[in-house]
Amino acid sequence: MSPLDFLAVVLPSSGHGHYCVAELTTKRKQHIFKESLADLSNTVDRLIERKLDTYMALATFADPAEGRKAANAAYVQSLFIDIDCNHKLDIPDAEGKIKPKAYPSSKAAVQALAAFLDASGLGALGQPWLLSSGGGVHAYWPLTEPVAIEDWRPIAENFK
């Protein structure tokens, strides 16, 4: 599956607001808004070519001028969680210590997620799509259609 194919499943379809990708490497931490997945894909490809860490917002946004803020979020098309793990590229703090993350490895995180889904009954949602984030694991449960943020938020809060 290509990155664009993946994004087409977990993001709202075009016409439901503006997509946002952020580069996290430079001091600018630039947020780039695009109206289509194709334009977004081209932007992500350029950021990756420049070896810049990127963050993909999972909501679309009503007005790019208002930025990537919760109050500006318009639609989503998935439930998702981010599970932080220790990583060999973690950066030590000023004292030379690396703050331990929630899980020692991606494998431990996925095992804990499976146990949690079984114990909580949330396994009924189906097997999530898993993606390595470099510093953890992202789990996605795609929805069949875009959902307005005001309808999605209470469900996501209960899911959390």
Side-chain angles (χ1 to χ4, degrees):
M1 171 178 285
S2 75
L4 184 59
D5 291 336
F6 174 76
L7 292 175
V9 171
V10 298
L11 294 176
S13 54
S14 293
H16 289 91
H18 296 82
Y19 301 101
C20 178
V21 62
E23 67 81 10
L24 304 175
T25 306
T26 68
K27 288 184 180 182
R28 285 181 58 193
K29 307 273 190 273
Q30 182 180 14
H31 290 79
I32 303 163
F33 291 87
K34 297 293 180 177
E35 290 189 41
S36 75
L37 282 174
D39 288 344
L40 179 74
S41 180
N42 292 334
T43 300
V44 170
D45 288 346
R46 283 195 307 276
L47 292 171
I48 291 170
E49 284 173 11
R50 293 175 52 206
K51 300 190 184 317
L52 298 174
D53 288 336
T54 58
Y55 170 83
M56 185 68 237
L58 293 170
T60 54
F61 297 88
D63 181 359
E66 295 296 319
R68 188 180 61 86
K69 299 176 183 170
N72 190 31
Y75 288 88
V76 293
Q77 193 164 320
S78 58
L79 292 172
F80 43 86
I81 57 175
D82 179 1
I83 307 170
D84 292 331
C85 305
N86 292 345
H87 190 274
K88 64 183 178 185
L89 296 179
D90 286 342
I91 299 170
D93 62 19
E95 298 173 2
K97 296 182 180 178
I98 295 176
K99 180 180 176 185
K101 304 265 179 59
Y103 295 94
S105 67
S106 294
K107 181 178 179 180
V110 171
Q111 290 171 335
L113 174 62
F116 169 73
L117 292 174
D118 286 343
S120 67
L122 290 173
L125 291 174
Q127 186 67 26
W129 293 37
L130 300 176
L131 182 69
S132 173
S133 69
V137 175
H138 293 174
Y140 301 88
W141 289 266
L143 304 174
T144 57
E145 60 189 47
V147 177
I149 199 72
E150 59 270 10
D151 295 328
W152 174 86
R153 187 171 286 127
I155 295 164
E157 287 297 323
N158 284 329
F159 182 70
K160 185 169 65 172

